[in-house]
Amino acid sequence: YPFKNKGKSRPVVDWAAIAAKTTSGNPLHGEISKEDFPKESWQTDSDYITNFITEAKALLHRVREGIYAEYGWATSSLTSEQIDQRNVFLGVHIASEMDGIGPDKGVA
């Protein structure tokens, strides 16, 4: 960063100053709450948000399948036993389906 910016250090966020500007102890550090958005904005549209999350999950699935294919473990070419073996081999875990989730469980 300093090399590209005439020796200047990378800017650091002053979280204390941002927190001091928030109202009523808002812990979002300067972000706005849902109630602060206009009523007709997309941020308050539950259908839009639901569809957005659905599409985001689909994107993650496609990316994951692309990675599997790069490693030669494409789901479309595997049996269910091979998929189980791949999941163990590559350490793939769906956190919402696991018990005992923690940093030592290999969940990314």
Side-chain angles (χ1 to χ4, degrees):
Y1 188 90
F3 180 73
K4 294 181 180 181
N5 294 282
K6 300 178 184 176
K8 294 180 183 177
S9 298
R10 182 178 299 277
V12 178
V13 177
D14 183 1
W15 291 110
I18 292 172
K21 293 179 183 178
T22 61
T23 59
S24 67
N26 184 348
L28 297 175
H29 296 294
E31 297 179 20
I32 63 175
S33 65
K34 183 178 177 179
E35 293 76 29
D36 293 333
F37 285 101
K39 298 291 183 218
E40 299 299 318
S41 68
W42 66 266
Q43 292 91 340
T44 61
D45 183 350
S46 62
D47 290 338
Y48 179 87
I49 297 299
T50 300
N51 291 335
F52 185 89
I53 292 171
T54 300
E55 291 300 319
K57 288 179 180 179
L59 174 62
L60 291 173
H61 177 75
R62 291 190 304 271
V63 168
R64 186 173 25 208
E65 288 299 320
I67 293 168
Y68 292 157
E70 286 291 320
Y71 282 95
W73 293 83
T75 301
S76 61
S77 64
L78 302 177
T79 66
S80 60
E81 289 177 358
Q82 290 171 322
I83 290 171
D84 291 340
Q85 181 184 16
R86 174 199 66 193
N87 291 347
V88 170
F89 178 73
L90 295 178
V92 176
H93 306 286
I94 306 301
S96 63
E97 297 175 2
M98 292 179 55
D99 292 330
I101 297 171
D104 59 334
K105 304 296 183 198
V107 178

